[in-house]
């Protein structure tokens, strides 16, 4: 079933009837209100790089506006201010102090009190693109508004938040189609060393026909019921208007699902998911989360487009542990990176066929992340992905033949499949069909 304006709402109705950081510009990883480094931002291992030097591809500078510094300091985290093909013209944050801090960090000439105001003044400021790093609930509405004003758009994850925003899927697709502009989701896993290598191996045919893959997102979090001060802080401070409070894990699925969708650029067709009830307060009945969600961890089994199977998990009940990682198996071999990736070794293609191994060894530079502009950009956190996402977005704007990795279809396939996974978990693992998304 293809998901577009005509088909999507009918399918949904039938179903329901039954966040460098400052490290990018220099100065350390993003920190929370207690001065603790935010998980993921401290993971700056960029991976093994191609030996090919970076080459300028254009003299053009794209005029960009940035929305949202917020709790995670995401607005300044993705290296727009040091990309040689970007001029940061404007910025905004609803908090005036954070807006001033964002302006200082990215060097914007102008500030606005809201993203909406910045978008409304885009023509006067001659903006070409906006990066939206606001709260998750607002991503899709602001993206549609920006596209309708003729702007290219990159947003933080997820593209949409939960089943109540499924109605925006056809609207976002239509806005991209009508405007002819780029929508891109800043999915960090897409440019982690593991995922980048998996994508290149898959695209080259070295993995062969995929048979199975896995993706995992472990994010410690939660507050105990005997700590009311911490509960209040978590609800009111950690996320804007408490959108993270009791969040179903699979409503934030992109850091795991990307190890399939951002490797193959294909989709999941159906899902069965189980959830594990959480001991943390925001998932308990007395926590009264708006999602009616009891689960702190969810484990999804997906059917993939080409007939393979994928196991994806999102776990919030993992104290003192954080990870975004994945693995892939195919008929020519598999890629299981954990034990050797950081050692920089090239011997972790377990069981590749002889011809596949020979092809990889003869073309190593095709499988490693490219160099960034020397002396201008730090790769940033989340596996050195931040600056690569920005570079991908800007190249997509400037170069007619460059297709961004996490475009609107891949972004929605990555996100919507997680929403259906949570719906399955709430139905005790019932297998649900996932609508196709297409422009």
């Amino acid at each position: 079933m293809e998901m577009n304006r005509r088909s999507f709402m009918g399918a949904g109705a039938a179903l329901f009837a039954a966040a460098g950081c400052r490290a990018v510009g220099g100065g350390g990883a993003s920190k929370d209100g207690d001065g603790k480094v935010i998980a993921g931002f401290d993971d700056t291992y960029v991976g093994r790089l191609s030996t090919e030097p970076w080459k300028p591809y254009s003299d053009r500078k794209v005029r960009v506006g940035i929305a949202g510094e917020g709790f995670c300091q995401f607005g300044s985290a993705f290296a727009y201010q040091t990309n040689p093909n970007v001029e940061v013209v404007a910025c905004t944050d609803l908090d005036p102090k954070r807006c001033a801090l964002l302006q200082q960090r990215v060097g914007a000439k102008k500030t606005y009190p809201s993203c909406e105001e910045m978008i409304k003044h885009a023509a006067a400021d001659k903006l070409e693109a906006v990066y939206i790093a606001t709260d998750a609930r607002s991503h899709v509405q602001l993206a549609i508004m920006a596209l309708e004003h003729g702007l290219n758009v990159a947003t933080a994850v997820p593209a949409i938040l939960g089943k109540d925003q499924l109605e925006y899927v056809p609207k976002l697709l239509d806005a991209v189609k009508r405007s002819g502009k780029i929508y891109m989701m800043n999915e960090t896993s897409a440019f982690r060393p593991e995922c980048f290598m998996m994508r290149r191996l898959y695209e080259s045919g070295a993995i062969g026909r995929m048979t199975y893959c896995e993706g995992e997102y472990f994010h410690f979090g939660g507050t105990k019921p005997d700590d009311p001060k911490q509960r209040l802080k978590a609800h009111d401070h950690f996320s804007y208007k408490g959108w993270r409070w009791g969040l179903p894990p699979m409503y934030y699925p992109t850091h795991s699902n990307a190890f399939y969708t951002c490797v193959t650029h294909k989709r999941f067709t159906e899902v069965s998911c189980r959830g594990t009830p959480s001991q943390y307060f925001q998932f308990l009945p007395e926590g009264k989360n708006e999602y009616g969600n009891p689960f702190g961890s969810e484990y999804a089994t997906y059917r993939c487009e080409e007939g393979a199977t994928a196991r994806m998990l999102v776990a919030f009940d993992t104290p003192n542990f954080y990870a975004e990682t994945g693995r892939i198996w195919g008929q020519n071999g598999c890629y299981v990176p954990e034990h050797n990736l950081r050692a920089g070794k090239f011997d972790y293609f377990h069981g590749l066929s002889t011809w596949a191994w020979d092809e990889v060894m003869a073309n190593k530079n095709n499988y490693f992340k490219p160099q960034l502009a020397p002396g201008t950009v730090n790769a940033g956190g989340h596996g050195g992905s931040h600056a690569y996402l920005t570079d991908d977005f800007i190249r997509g704007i400037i170069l007619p033949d460059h297709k961004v990795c996490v475009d609107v279809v891949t972004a929605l396939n990555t996100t919507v499949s997680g929403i259906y996974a949570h719906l399955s978990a709430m139905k005790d693992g019932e297998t649900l069909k996932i609508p196709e998304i297409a422009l």
Side-chain angles (χ1 to χ4, degrees):
M1 175 172 50
E2 181 177 302
M3 184 181 291
N4 52 33
R5 179 176 291 277
R6 289 187 297 273
S7 66
F8 175 70
M9 295 312 295
L15 172 66
F16 299 133
C21 59
R22 292 181 301 186
V24 172
S30 289
K31 298 179 181 180
D32 63 19
D34 294 327
K36 298 177 181 179
V37 174
I38 299 171
F41 285 82
D42 54 342
D43 183 5
T44 58
Y45 178 73
V46 70
R48 194 168 171 181
L49 299 180
S50 167
T51 58
E52 293 291 329
W54 179 84
K55 295 179 181 179
Y57 61 89
S58 175
D59 293 329
R60 179 179 162 193
K61 286 185 177 288
V62 177
R63 293 171 64 86
V64 175
I66 299 177
E69 186 68 343
F71 178 83
C72 291
Q73 303 166 35
F74 253 39
S76 61
F78 282 76
Y80 283 89
Q81 62 270 29
T82 54
N83 186 293
N85 293 99
V86 170
E87 179 184 358
V88 180
V89 176
C91 70
T92 179
D93 191 288
L94 294 176
D95 183 328
K97 291 182 179 179
R98 285 177 174 167
C99 185
L101 185 60
L102 178 59
Q103 182 182 29
Q104 176 186 344
R105 288 172 172 170
V106 301
K109 298 177 178 64
K110 299 179 70 172
T111 64
Y112 287 98
S114 69
C115 186
E116 290 88 344
E117 285 300 310
M118 186 173 71
I119 292 170
K120 289 175 183 177
H121 290 83
D125 293 334
K126 298 181 180 179
L127 291 183
E128 299 175 73
V130 290
Y131 165 43
I132 298 171
T134 56
D135 62 287
R137 288 193 186 99
S138 66
H139 292 168
V140 67
Q141 298 99 318
L142 292 173
I144 292 170
M145 179 182 180
L147 289 163
E148 291 174 344
H149 279 74
L151 297 170
N152 297 284
V153 178
T155 75
V157 299
I160 63 172
L161 188 71
K163 67 177 184 179
D164 292 342
Q165 289 197 340
L166 285 172
E167 65 178 291
Y168 287 104
V169 170
K171 296 176 183 178
L172 179 60
L173 291 167
D174 282 356
V176 170
K177 190 171 183 178
R178 289 197 308 270
S179 68
K181 301 297 182 180
I182 293 169
Y183 169 87
M184 172 175 153
M185 183 177 71
N186 270 1
E187 175 39 56
T188 55
S189 290
F191 283 93
R192 280 186 170 274
E194 305 98 311
C195 193
F196 186 90
M197 181 73 78
M198 288 166 66
R199 183 163 60 250
R200 289 297 173 87
L201 289 167
Y202 179 83
E203 290 172 346
S204 72
I207 290 292
R209 182 181 175 89
M210 197 188 84
T211 57
Y212 176 66
C213 73
E214 297 176 339
E216 299 161 356
Y217 177 42
F218 295 98
H219 193 295
F220 55 87
T223 55
K224 295 285 189 176
D226 58 352
D227 190 356
K229 291 184 179 179
Q230 186 65 19
R231 293 201 302 266
L232 182 63
K233 179 180 179 181
H235 183 276
D236 295 337
H237 178 65
F238 183 56
S239 58
Y240 182 68
K241 294 185 177 179
W243 67 264
R244 290 183 186 268
W245 188 258
L247 182 72
M250 280 293 173
Y251 278 11
Y252 208 83
T254 63
H255 296 331
S256 54
N257 285 358
F259 286 96
Y260 173 71
T261 57
C262 294
V263 170
T264 67
H265 291 106
K266 297 182 184 296
R267 71 184 188 93
F268 302 116
T269 60
E270 61 183 41
V271 61
S272 173
C273 183
R274 298 281 183 170
T276 302
S278 176
Q279 65 177 330
Y280 291 121
F281 182 75
Q282 61 264 45
F283 301 108
L284 299 173
E286 59 266 36
K288 297 180 181 178
N289 70 69
E290 66 180 274
Y291 307 102
N293 170 50
F295 302 131
S297 301
E298 292 181 319
Y299 308 84
T301 300
Y302 289 104
R303 175 75 67 179
C304 303
E305 180 178 338
E306 67 274 67
T309 297
R311 191 273 292 150
M312 302 292 175
L313 69 86
V314 182
F316 294 156
D317 286 350
T318 55
N320 301 314
F321 184 76
Y322 182 95
E324 300 172 29
T325 191
R327 294 157 291 279
I328 188 171
W329 283 260
Q331 292 179 341
N332 290 334
C334 63
Y335 176 58
V336 183
E338 282 91 337
H339 298 298
N340 295 308
L341 178 64
R342 291 180 182 277
K345 296 181 180 179
F346 207 69
D347 60 357
Y348 37 81
F349 305 100
H350 306 297
L352 280 184
S353 63
T354 300
W355 74 264
W357 176 256
D358 290 343
E359 196 278 336
V360 168
M361 293 303 292
N363 298 280
K364 291 182 181 180
N365 279 336
N366 293 336
Y367 298 92
F368 296 135
K369 289 164 71 171
Q371 300 277 349
L372 292 168
T376 59
V377 180
N378 184 305
H382 292 92
S385 65
H386 293 173
Y388 282 93
L389 285 160
T390 296
D391 179 71
D392 193 41
F393 181 49
I394 298 303
R395 285 176 185 267
I397 295 171
I398 293 176
L399 302 176
D401 297 329
H402 182 84
K403 178 178 172 59
V404 300
C405 181
V406 198
D407 65 5
V408 67
V409 172
T410 297
L412 289 170
N413 278 329
T414 305
T415 306
V416 170
S417 53
I419 297 171
Y420 277 76
H422 174 66
L423 295 173
S424 170
M426 296 297 288
K427 293 174 176 286
D428 198 29
E430 179 183 330
T431 298
L432 300 178
K433 299 290 186 183
I434 303 171
E436 182 180 1
I437 295 170
L439 281 173

